[in-house]
Amino acid sequence: MIKAIVLCSGYGPRLQPLTNDKPKAMVKVAGKPVVGHIVERLIAAGITRIIVNLHYLPQKIPEYLGDKALYYYEPVPLGHHGTIKALKDWIEDDEFLVINGDTLSE
């Protein structure tokens, strides 16, 4: 089983004022938050074990995604490596991929 970590803890200061009231991953592209596109594509690819890390305005992403993902709140942003290390028990021995929550790809 493949698991996915979607990194969404950033403030998005370069996107201000778009990120004044929402995390960077919640900025809309084609009428939908970027994180929505990412999670939909993961599910379509058969990856349903998804965890999203949160920090800035942490309630916004779970309000949008609901039970499509699990959530890991970081009181202090850990960075890519720190988040993966913190989630090592969740990852266990499974294959996993890490996706930036502000990046769209096919």
Side-chain angles (χ1 to χ4, degrees):
M1 168 189 305
I2 299 176
K3 294 180 177 177
I5 300 171
V6 184
L7 302 173
C8 294
S9 65
Y11 294 94
R14 290 182 298 233
L15 292 178
Q16 288 178 333
L18 295 174
T19 56
N20 286 345
D21 64 347
K22 66 177 84 53
K24 182 170 44 170
M26 288 297 292
V27 171
K28 290 184 178 182
V29 173
K32 184 186 313 178
V34 173
V35 71
H37 289 283
I38 292 169
V39 169
E40 284 181 4
R41 290 175 180 178
L42 288 170
I43 292 169
I47 300 170
T48 57
R49 301 280 303 176
I50 301 165
I51 194 163
V52 177
N53 78 326
L54 309 168
H55 175 71
Y56 176 60
L57 300 172
Q59 74 284 3
K60 299 283 187 169
I61 293 173
E63 285 173 359
Y64 176 74
L65 290 177
D67 64 359
K68 292 180 183 174
L70 300 172
Y71 304 97
Y72 178 71
Y73 174 70
E74 298 176 359
V76 175
L78 301 174
H80 291 67
H81 178 50
T83 298
I84 295 166
K85 185 175 179 181
L87 293 173
K88 70 179 189 279
D89 290 338
W90 182 76
I91 296 166
E92 296 178 21
D93 293 328
D94 294 318
E95 293 180 354
F96 70 97
L97 57 100
V98 179
I99 302 169
N100 289 322
D102 61 355
T103 305
L104 291 175
S105 62
E106 289 295 321

